[in-house]
Amino acid sequence: MPERFELAERLKRLPPYLFAEIDKKKREVRARGVDVIDLGIGDPDLPTPPHVIQALQHAALDPENHRYPSYEGMLAFRQAVADWYAKRFGVTLDPESEVLTLVGSKEGTAHMPLAFVNPGDAVLVPDPGYPVYAAGAWFAGGEVHFMPLRREHGFLPDLDAIPPDVARRARLMYLNYPNNPTAACAGREFFSRVVAFAERHGVIVCHDAMYSELRFDGYEPPSFLEMEGARQVGVEFHSLSKTYSMTGWRIGFCVGNARLVAGLGKVKTNVDSGVFQAVQYAAVAALTGPQDASERYRKIYQERRDVVVEGLRALGWEVDVPKATFFVWVPVSKGLDSRAFATRLLDEVGVVVTPGVGFGPSGEGFYRIALTIETPRLAEAMERLKRLRL
Ligand SMILES: *Cc1c(COP(=O)(O)O)cnc(C)c1O
């Protein structure tokens, strides 16, 4: 007999949730009384800056803000985004037509294919990558073509390796730099090649720039939109989640090509009703107010990064020093796959890391450490790794 509430094909086609295995294991090990150190969570542990919270409190008292917000977001917020882009990247945006408010950037990246991908169109997706890109493409009936990110290419996709028939059918390409999970950064030279590729093949570029502000050693990751011609081919996704430790607040934005922004807006008009205005006012305070908190966050993550990189190197593990993001992407010791490695780490020394294969097949051979716990705990985790017998 068929199941009564059979899932739709689009859900059945999603790959199995690989982290479920590690979540279960984590509970088992905790139940044994082990003090588990969790380096698996990509969610800032540092609190939202106080002046942002105050702006929310203030705005929440105003009945004007209790009603439905506008779909595209308040002009005050979109103007703040445009001003921030001008200041940070030297990119001029029209707040009315080139900026759209999102319920977090995850929402926008997931909905984008619904606006522009037809069944059978190819969608180019980085592998390893944030799982939302492939899911969004599948939900729209697109065919996902994974672009492997390899260490020997600096974890940038090899555009020349995309087969001609795929490039011909490609409608949309996702990119994400600074990158989750590899922590790699892309330079302007790579972005210009992406613009040329997009022009040649009529591909829409969706760049997820989520981590552009979690940057270290004075490095300033560029915006894709700085490139000549970029605005003709794509958009950039961003949010306040990581920069201002606001993951729970759910506010982000999509900027760039006006037709693309409008198309995404049209999907959203039909599925959500915008972001609570008090949250938008708080986001304005974050973008336009003092930036000392995010400067402090950068220092803290950088200090943690150094503890991890030095710890791993002392153990003889070769690891690239991230210039941005709060992740470290580490090669697995020879002879083990990333899941087996993560399981042994948890079993033998009570440390949780994320196996690279969870981000796609090309993530195999690596694991991800998130720098979202206090420095002493990270140092303790590095100490524990010494006890691991591989
Ligand atoms: C955290 C993360 C997001 C989600 O951002 P929200 O604005 O909180 O939805 C998007 N992309 C990447 C690569 C992320 O790591």
Side-chain angles (χ1 to χ4, degrees):
M1 217 176 64
E3 277 291 336
R4 172 111 188 273
F5 296 119
E6 193 72 35
L7 288 176
E9 293 304 321
R10 73 179 64 83
L11 286 189
K12 286 201 239 164
R13 278 175 52 194
L14 290 176
Y17 182 63
L18 271 163
F19 306 132
E21 195 182 338
I22 206 123
D23 284 346
K24 182 159 164 271
K25 191 93 208 163
K26 192 158 66 181
R27 280 193 301 274
E28 282 168 18
V29 173
R30 276 212 175 105
R32 290 206 315 253
V34 175
D35 167 32
V36 171
I37 302 181
D38 195 343
L39 309 181
I41 304 168
D43 188 355
D45 59 316
L46 307 166
T48 304
H51 73 278
V52 177
I53 299 170
Q54 278 154 18
L56 171 82
Q57 285 171 326
H58 182 74
L61 292 172
D62 184 352
E64 269 301 304
N65 296 331
H66 299 169
R67 315 187 64 189
Y68 282 122
S70 65
Y71 290 114
E72 67 279 6
M74 293 162 54
L75 190 56
F77 173 68
R78 289 180 292 144
Q79 184 67 59
V81 169
D83 292 345
W84 183 77
Y85 251 76
K87 202 163 149 203
R88 167 68 173 88
F89 300 113
V91 170
T92 318
L93 296 165
D94 171 19
E96 302 254 18
S97 63
E98 295 177 322
V99 182
L100 178 68
T101 310
L102 302 173
V103 191
S105 74
K106 178 180 186 178
E107 176 266 302
T109 39
H111 279 140
M112 197 65 186
L114 281 185
F116 294 101
V117 170
N118 285 310
D121 288 348
V123 177
L124 304 169
V125 172
D127 159 34
Y130 186 55
V132 175
Y133 312 139
W138 282 319
F139 285 177
E143 258 176 50
V144 171
H145 176 85
F146 286 110
M147 304 182 289
L149 308 184
R150 302 202 193 287
R151 193 180 195 180
E152 56 270 29
H153 275 121
F155 298 108
L156 303 171
D158 181 358
L159 301 175
D160 298 329
I162 296 166
D165 66 305
V166 174
R168 209 172 310 120
R169 287 184 299 113
R171 184 78 173 122
L172 195 146
M173 170 192 278
Y174 283 107
L175 291 172
N176 164 220
Y177 294 98
N179 184 258
N180 176 11
T182 69
C185 294
R188 295 185 172 81
E189 192 266 337
F190 171 73
F191 282 149
S192 334
R193 280 193 283 126
V194 171
V195 173
F197 178 91
E199 281 169 351
R200 186 155 7 105
H201 298 288
V203 172
I204 296 164
V205 177
C206 295
H207 182 238
D208 180 348
M210 202 61 207
Y211 291 97
S212 73
E213 303 318 297
L214 295 190
R215 48 199 164 80
F216 311 126
D217 311 319
Y219 174 64
E220 298 199 345
S223 160
F224 173 70
L225 295 175
E226 288 176 32
M227 302 304 114
E228 171 111 32
R231 200 185 311 233
Q232 278 69 56
V233 298
V235 288
E236 192 153 76
F237 291 90
H238 225 298
S239 99
L240 287 89
S241 287
K242 313 284 162 72
T243 312
Y244 300 103
S245 277
M246 291 174 68
T247 46
W249 297 59
R250 310 315 303 136
I251 182 160
F253 45 95
C254 174
V255 298
N257 185 277
R259 271 184 74 87
L260 296 175
V261 165
L264 176 58
K266 195 159 184 175
V267 173
K268 287 173 55 56
T269 304
N270 287 282
V271 294
D272 70 58
S273 296
V275 173
F276 183 26
Q277 288 202 31
V279 168
Q280 295 191 56
Y281 278 117
V284 171
L287 289 171
T288 62
Q291 301 296 307
D292 51 317
S294 47
E295 188 56 48
R296 198 171 64 249
Y297 300 157
R298 279 195 275 276
K299 281 216 183 75
I300 294 170
Y301 290 127
Q302 183 171 327
E303 176 188 295
R304 294 174 180 177
R305 174 202 67 172
D306 293 342
V307 165
V308 166
V309 168
E310 280 157 29
L312 293 172
R313 285 187 171 169
L315 291 168
W317 290 352
E318 33 143 8
V319 46
D320 301 328
V321 184
K323 284 192 292 184
T325 79
F326 47 46
F327 302 115
V328 183
W329 186 241
V330 194
V332 173
S333 313
K334 285 200 177 50
L336 280 179
D337 70 50
S338 61
R339 281 158 85 180
F341 178 82
T343 305
R344 284 195 51 187
L345 214 56
L346 181 50
D347 260 337
E348 294 175 27
V349 296
V351 173
V352 176
V353 298
T354 310
V357 74
F359 300 99
S362 301
E364 188 49 271
F366 292 86
Y367 65 96
R368 192 190 73 177
I369 289 177
L371 304 172
T372 47
I373 64 168
E374 298 106 23
T375 315
R377 290 290 276 173
L378 276 173
E380 154 89 16
M382 294 303 114
E383 278 303 310
R384 289 192 194 181
L385 289 188
K386 287 186 189 161
R387 304 202 320 252
L388 196 67
R389 281 183 306 278
L390 290 168

